[in-house]
Amino acid sequence: MKKSKKQARIAQEALSIAPEHILEVRDLKVDIKVDDYTLNAVRGVSFSMKKGETLGLVGESGCGKSVTSKAVMGINPDNCSARGQILYRRKSGEIMDLVQLEQDGPTYRAIRGAEMAMIFQEPMTSFSPLYTIGNQLSEIILLHEPATTKEQARMRVLEMLEKVGIANPEKRIDQYPHEFSGGMLQRALIAMMLCCNPDFLIADEPTTALDVTIQAQILDLMKLLQKEFGMSILFITHDLGTVASMCDNVAVMYLGEIVEYGSVHQIFHNPQHPYTKGLLRSLPKMNQSREEKLYVIDGIVPLPVNMPPCCGFYDRCEKCVKGVCDCQAIREYTVEPGHFVRCVMMEQRG
Ligand SMILES: Nc1ncnc2c1ncn2[C@@H]1O[C@H](COP(=O)(O)OP(=O)(O)OP(=O)(O)O)[C@@H](O)[C@H]1O
Ligand SMILES: [Mg+2]
C-alpha cells in the first residue's frame, strides 16, 4: 500500500535519534515463554548511547542485563519476544529499528559482526575447536567483505593479533583454540571482533572467567582499542569496581528495569536508589578490617513472573514505604541533569 506524504513523514520522524547518539532504546520489553508461564525479563527499559561512549549495565544475577543486550544484538532465542524500539544508527547513517528486523534476516546478519559485535564471558565457547584461530578470524572478514582475498584477510588477522598483544602472531595464527590460554583466547576474541571494525560493542562480563591480573590487562586493552577505533561499548558486569574504571555512564538494573542512571561520578558519589546504595555498600573497602563482614543485600532477585506495576525492589528494600512502593507504579525522577532514579523516596524529598 502506497503511504501518503504525511504517513511517510511520521514514519521518518519516528526513526530519528539525536545526532550524537548511536543507539536509543525506548521502552524495551522482553517476555520469555517458559513451559506454562511467561517471564517479564525486561520491563520497559530506555537508555541511549553516544558515539564513543562506554555505558555500564550493572545489577545482580537475573536482573535482565544479558536479555537486554541480546535483544540489541538480535540473538535472543525463539521463546523471547521483544516490544518497544531499539533505534540504531548504521555505519551508512541510516537509522533502523532493530526490534522490527527479522533476527536471522540478511539485514541483521549484515549488521552483526560488521557493525555491531559482542564478546562473552567465556571465550572458549565463541571458537570452534576444529579450526585454527587464523581460519576463524579470516572467515569473519571474508563473510562480511566478499571483495577481500584470503591473503589480504590473513594479513589483517596478523595485524589484529599483534594489536591485541598476542606475541608471535605468525605462529599463533595457525594454532587451535586449545593451544591458547584463557587470557589469550579473550584477546583473540577481541581481535576477531575488531577485524570488521564495528562501531558498537557489547561486552557481557568479558573478564569474569579470567584471573585478576589478566582481567586488568584485558580491560586496559579494551580502553586502548576503544580510543583508537572510537567504538561505543555497552559494558555488562556485576563488578562496580570495573565500572568505575571503564565507563562514562552507568545504568543500574533491577528485575528488568533501570532503577538508576547517571554518570560514574553521580552514581558513585551521589547514589539515590536503595538498590544502588546496597550494591555500593557491598563493595569491599580498602580500610575494612578482616573481622568486618561484607554488607549483603538481603534476599535474592525473584523470577519476574506476573510482575505488578510497582517497585520491583520493595520486598528487599530497607526504606520500603508500605502501601506505596508495593502497590503503585513508580515514575522516573530527575536528581540532577543526566541523573535519574525510579524511587518514591525522591517524592518525599519534594
Ligand atoms: N533463554 C531463557 N529461558 C528462560 N529464562 C531465561 C532465559 N534467558 C534468561 N532468562 C531469565 O530471564 C531473567 C533475566 O536473565 P539475564 O540472563 O538477562 O540476567 P543477567 O542480568 O544477565 O544475569 P547474570 O548476571 O547472571 O548474567 C532471569 O530470570 C533468567 O532466568
Ligand atoms: Mg548475563
Side-chain angles (χ1 to χ4, degrees):
M1 197 176 73
K2 202 165 180 268
K3 279 184 185 165
S4 70
K5 267 192 181 170
K6 191 175 169 198
Q7 279 174 322
R9 184 171 51 78
I10 291 170
Q12 188 57 38
E13 274 173 7
L15 290 188
S16 73
I17 61 178
E20 68 275 21
H21 288 166
I22 185 165
L23 180 78
E24 283 187 15
V25 175
R26 296 182 188 162
D27 199 21
L28 177 69
K29 297 185 172 114
V30 183
D31 289 341
I32 308 179
K33 277 226 162 328
V34 189
D35 302 328
D36 50 354
Y37 61 94
T38 300
L39 291 178
N40 311 121
V42 179
R43 306 186 297 126
V45 159
S46 300
F47 64 90
S48 53
M49 285 180 66
K50 289 187 180 146
K51 293 174 204 163
E53 171 186 340
T54 302
L55 173 67
L57 195 54
V58 299
E60 289 163 288
S61 193
C63 282
K65 305 181 298 291
S66 294
V67 173
T68 302
S69 59
K70 286 180 187 168
V72 175
M73 197 71 186
I75 53 169
N76 267 321
D78 288 346
N79 60 343
C80 299
S81 64
R83 284 165 292 148
Q85 285 187 312
I86 301 174
L87 300 178
Y88 179 68
R89 187 187 304 280
R90 296 196 63 181
K91 278 185 175 174
S92 64
E94 186 186 6
I95 314 289
M96 296 211 107
D97 182 0
L98 302 181
V99 171
Q100 302 303 327
L101 286 184
E102 204 186 320
Q103 286 202 156
D104 295 326
T107 312
Y108 228 141
R109 284 215 302 269
I111 293 176
R112 265 194 305 265
E115 302 191 25
M116 183 188 275
M118 186 155 178
I119 47 178
F120 297 93
Q121 180 174 345
E122 188 37 83
M124 198 64 196
T125 55
S126 302
F127 288 101
S128 161
L130 303 176
Y131 300 94
T132 63
I133 293 286
N135 269 339
Q136 298 186 58
L137 268 63
S138 302
E139 196 180 289
I140 301 282
I141 300 175
L142 296 171
L143 183 77
H144 289 289
E145 300 172 24
T148 306
T149 65
K150 280 190 177 173
E151 203 41 49
Q152 286 168 329
R154 187 177 166 89
M155 294 308 291
R156 189 128 115 241
V157 170
L158 278 172
E159 194 190 314
M160 288 304 155
L161 289 177
E162 197 164 5
K163 218 171 207 85
V164 298
I166 290 183
N168 205 353
E170 291 82 5
K171 178 178 163 215
R172 293 292 186 180
I173 193 170
D174 294 317
Q175 288 186 333
Y176 289 85
H178 72 268
E179 296 174 88
F180 276 49
S181 68
M184 272 165 60
L185 264 189
Q186 195 58 295
R187 284 174 192 267
L189 190 58
I190 294 174
M192 174 144 90
M193 99 30 225
L194 287 177
C195 279
C196 287
N197 192 11
D199 288 354
F200 185 75
L201 171 69
I202 298 174
D204 193 348
E205 304 272 4
T207 57
T208 326
L210 306 172
D211 70 58
V212 185
T213 345
I214 310 291
Q215 269 186 24
Q217 289 174 8
I218 297 286
L219 293 177
D220 282 348
L221 171 68
M222 285 180 63
K223 273 195 273 189
L224 199 78
L225 295 171
Q226 182 186 26
K227 260 202 191 129
E228 186 175 338
F229 290 85
M231 290 173 293
S232 312
I233 303 183
L234 181 59
F235 194 88
I236 299 170
T237 181
H238 293 102
D239 178 8
L240 277 166
T242 311
V243 166
S245 72
M246 284 297 288
C247 303
D248 302 302
N249 294 307
V250 189
V252 181
M253 224 175 151
Y254 187 76
L255 209 54
E257 288 185 317
I258 292 179
V259 294
E260 187 159 4
Y261 174 94
S263 67
V264 165
H265 188 270
Q266 287 165 336
I267 296 293
F268 277 77
H269 294 279
N270 188 24
Q272 295 297 320
H273 200 286
Y275 183 58
T276 315
K277 289 181 185 175
L279 288 179
L280 287 167
R281 265 181 80 190
S282 52
L283 278 178
K285 313 272 178 316
M286 289 293 274
N287 54 1
Q288 196 154 351
S289 71
R290 281 171 163 232
E291 291 72 37
E292 206 180 321
K293 278 194 173 169
L294 274 179
Y295 174 77
V296 187
I297 306 173
D298 268 348
I300 52 162
V301 184
L303 272 183
V305 186
N306 296 327
M307 290 301 301
C310 63
C311 174
F313 188 57
Y314 80 89
D315 54 348
R316 298 177 71 191
C317 182
E318 291 170 0
K319 306 273 183 195
C320 172
V321 184
K322 289 258 167 359
V324 180
C325 304
D326 53 351
C327 47
Q328 74 179 40
I330 314 294
R331 71 173 177 89
E332 192 176 79
Y333 296 86
T334 303
V335 183
E336 52 190 313
H339 186 182
F340 310 98
V341 65
R342 243 172 229 283
C343 178
V344 288
M345 296 294 292
M346 294 302 290
E347 188 86 63
Q348 291 167 353
R349 282 183 193 188

